[in-house]
Amino acid sequence: MRKKLTGLTAFFLAFTLAFQPVYAKTREEIQQEREEKKQQQQSTQSKYNETQGKLSDLQEEQDVLQEEIDELDAQLVEIIASVGLMEEQIADTEAQIEQAQKDYDAAKAQEEAQYQAMKARLRYLYEKGDTSYMELLTKASTWSDMLNQAEYIEKLHEYDQKMLNAYIAIKEEVEIKKNDLEDKKSDLETQKYELEEEEAAMEELLEEKKAVSADYDAQIAKVRQEAAAYKAQIKQQNAELKQLDEEENAIIKAEEERRRKAEEEARKAEEARKAQENQQSSGSSGSSSSSGSSSSSGSSSSGSSSSSGGGSKTVPPATGSSGSDIAQYACQFVGNPYVLGGTSLTDGADCSGFIWAVYKQYGYSLPRTSSGQRSAGREVSYEEAQPGDIICYAGHVALYLGGGRIVHASTARTGIKYGYATYRPILTVRRIVG
């Protein structure tokens, strides 16, 4: 009977093992694969973080560049407006010059007419020499009449001279005004040219910065694509890790189910054995044997139960000369011509070309345009200005001499000359030396 029960137990165990699930991977393989996937995910996450940092840097740089573009746009609008204003002022000045010329011509004609009238009267009075003049006086019937004639002649002469002097004064005044207007027109035309030069330089710089901005757009788009790819990869890796967790949980659940069934079969077998022993309680030796067998079986079952377990998860002048030396050196070119676009200290230069050429002699490389020189060196206040500093105006630059005086390539009419620093509104003062 015991053999029959032992065989029945073996049958149930074999039946249980025959129907347990068979998995392609073991828990150890899944844990190893999970660890590899986690390392891959950490690497992908690191790359993703790098792209985010790079994207942030690119966007920050682009924002700074956009601020520069906006500032240049605003400056360009201001310059274009200034050029338009200059054109209006030039047109108004030309009209004033034209009117001054008309006034001059009228004054000149009046002077000539008065002069001719005076000459005619004098010729009438003196055409027969001193005798006629005396006859005119002797024709007077009385001494009083003679005095009146003489007084009349004198007053007539004084009137002619007064009128002639007045017309000469008017003509001279109009001529001075005309010259002043022509100087003003020359200065306005020079400012217009320099503003147009600055406008062209700004437009070129603006196009360059817009091209750089477009390149930033391309870089940002590329980095965003990389970040999206890494993000998708991280998502896929998370899904794979989740799948591995599910596979391991399935194995753990199957092992627990298998262990539960084995324990259940062992319990049933033990109950059957004990029932059989109770029926054969008369055989003491059999009982002792059964008891030993039971102890052995129980020990085996206990050992089987404890063996299972779960897993765990785990210039000529030397460089460096003072600003005073530079200012003094520049003064020797006063009187030389102003030439649009020129950079020659002797043959002619415009305002920025003059500054550029002077500093070049001392080994300094400055921007060529007045707009570029407004950003050269470092800024100081006008109150702190020293000889050699660059005084910057809208579309114009000059070299400071000290004491409120400047030397600059002024206009085509005046050339390189001295002037006062505050003759126009100052935008900034730049210090190159010191």
Side-chain angles (χ1 to χ4, degrees):
M1 189 64 179
R2 252 190 334 268
K3 289 182 180 181
K4 185 176 180 180
L5 289 173
T6 302
L8 184 62
T9 302
F11 170 78
F12 279 117
L13 289 173
F15 179 82
T16 303
L17 292 173
F19 285 93
Q20 71 179 16
V22 178
Y23 294 93
K25 301 176 184 177
T26 63
R27 288 184 64 188
E28 290 74 12
E29 290 174 339
I30 291 175
Q31 290 171 358
Q32 182 179 357
E33 186 175 355
R34 182 196 293 109
E35 188 62 29
E36 291 174 355
K37 289 291 182 184
K38 282 186 176 181
Q39 292 176 359
Q40 292 174 3
Q41 186 191 48
Q42 289 174 357
S43 175
T44 306
Q45 184 67 47
S46 177
K47 292 177 181 178
Y48 176 77
N49 293 340
E50 288 177 4
T51 58
Q52 290 297 305
K54 186 176 181 181
L55 182 62
S56 177
D57 292 341
L58 286 172
Q59 288 176 331
E60 184 176 350
E61 292 171 6
Q62 188 183 40
D63 290 342
V64 172
L65 182 62
Q66 188 60 48
E67 289 179 1
E68 294 177 1
I69 290 174
D70 293 341
E71 183 178 353
L72 282 173
D73 274 330
Q75 292 178 4
L76 189 58
V77 169
E78 182 179 348
I79 289 174
I80 292 172
S82 297
V83 169
L85 181 60
M86 289 294 176
E87 291 174 346
E88 292 178 0
Q89 291 178 346
I90 290 170
D92 182 61
T93 304
E94 287 175 344
Q96 293 181 48
I97 291 173
E98 184 179 352
Q99 183 60 45
Q101 183 64 49
K102 291 179 180 179
D103 294 342
Y104 175 83
D105 293 340
K108 182 67 176 176
Q110 288 287 349
E111 175 197 356
E112 184 66 23
Q114 187 66 22
Y115 178 69
Q116 293 299 330
M118 184 177 70
K119 283 201 308 181
R121 280 191 289 273
L122 289 173
R123 185 166 54 250
Y124 173 77
L125 292 174
Y126 298 105
E127 62 182 356
K128 294 182 180 181
D130 294 340
T131 302
S132 297
Y133 180 68
M134 291 300 295
E135 288 178 353
L136 180 66
L137 293 176
T138 56
K139 285 180 180 180
S141 58
T142 64
W143 177 254
S144 177
D145 189 26
M146 183 179 67
L147 291 177
N148 289 336
Q149 290 291 343
E151 185 179 357
Y152 170 75
I153 293 170
E154 184 179 357
K155 287 183 177 180
L156 184 63
H157 176 70
E158 288 177 355
Y159 173 78
D160 286 337
Q161 188 62 47
K162 181 179 179 182
M163 293 300 296
L164 180 60
N165 290 339
Y167 288 127
I168 290 173
I170 291 172
K171 184 190 71 172
E172 290 176 350
E173 180 182 351
V174 171
E175 187 174 4
I176 292 172
K177 180 179 180 182
K178 180 187 173 187
N179 287 332
D180 289 342
L181 287 171
E182 288 177 347
D183 287 342
K184 180 181 178 182
K185 178 185 175 184
S186 177
D187 183 58
L188 288 171
E189 288 175 342
T190 301
Q191 292 181 46
K192 179 175 176 287
Y193 161 77
E194 291 170 350
L195 284 170
E196 287 173 343
E197 184 185 51
E198 186 173 352
E199 177 185 351
M202 278 197 173
E203 286 178 345
E204 183 178 353
L205 180 60
L206 191 59
E207 290 302 318
E208 290 176 0
K209 288 190 179 292
K210 285 182 178 179
V212 174
S213 180
D215 182 59
Y216 271 112
D217 288 336
Q219 292 184 58
I220 289 172
K222 182 180 178 182
V223 173
R224 281 177 174 166
Q225 288 178 349
E226 292 176 358
Y230 286 135
K231 189 174 182 179
Q233 190 173 353
I234 291 171
K235 184 177 180 181
Q236 177 63 29
Q237 289 168 341
N238 285 333
E240 292 173 353
L241 286 171
K242 183 178 179 181
Q243 179 64 30
L244 289 173
D245 288 340
E246 291 175 353
E247 290 179 8
E248 184 179 18
N249 290 334
I251 291 175
I252 293 172
K253 186 176 180 180
E255 288 177 350
E256 291 176 350
E257 181 65 18
R258 189 166 60 251
R259 184 169 59 249
R260 185 188 66 75
K261 288 182 178 179
E263 289 175 353
E264 180 66 19
E265 293 299 330
R267 184 185 62 76
K268 289 181 179 180
E270 180 65 17
E271 289 177 353
R273 183 186 64 76
K274 287 181 178 180
Q276 183 66 28
E277 286 179 353
N278 289 334
Q279 291 177 0
Q280 298 177 357
S281 58
S282 56
S284 59
S285 59
S287 176
S288 298
S289 177
S290 295
S291 176
S293 176
S294 172
S295 174
S296 175
S297 175
S299 175
S300 175
S301 175
S302 175
S304 174
S305 175
S306 63
S307 65
S308 62
S312 61
K313 299 181 180 181
T314 59
V315 141
T319 301
S321 298
S322 68
S324 296
D325 293 335
I326 294 174
Q328 185 177 0
Y329 175 78
C331 291
Q332 65 181 298
F333 304 106
V334 170
N336 287 349
Y338 177 102
V339 176
L340 298 178
T343 57
S344 173
L345 295 173
T346 55
D347 297 331
D350 58 19
C351 67
S352 57
F354 175 65
I355 301 294
W356 178 87
V358 167
Y359 269 97
K360 183 181 179 183
Q361 297 300 316
Y362 286 79
Y364 292 92
S365 179
L366 297 186
R368 171 61 186 84
T369 63
S370 58
S371 61
Q373 290 174 10
R374 283 211 302 267
S375 302
R378 63 186 179 90
E379 185 177 31
V380 296
S381 66
Y382 175 68
E383 290 73 16
E384 299 172 324
Q386 297 178 1
D389 290 348
I390 301 174
I391 307 296
C392 301
Y393 311 91
H396 189 69
V397 287
L399 198 65
Y400 191 62
L401 300 178
R405 299 282 289 170
I406 57 173
V407 59
H408 61 140
S410 179
T411 69
R413 280 176 62 89
T414 60
I416 299 173
K417 69 170 190 177
Y418 296 109
Y420 291 96
T422 55
Y423 86 106
R424 287 166 61 180
I426 297 173
L427 297 182
T428 181
V429 179
R430 309 303 299 187
R431 179 161 299 164
I432 308 301
V433 180

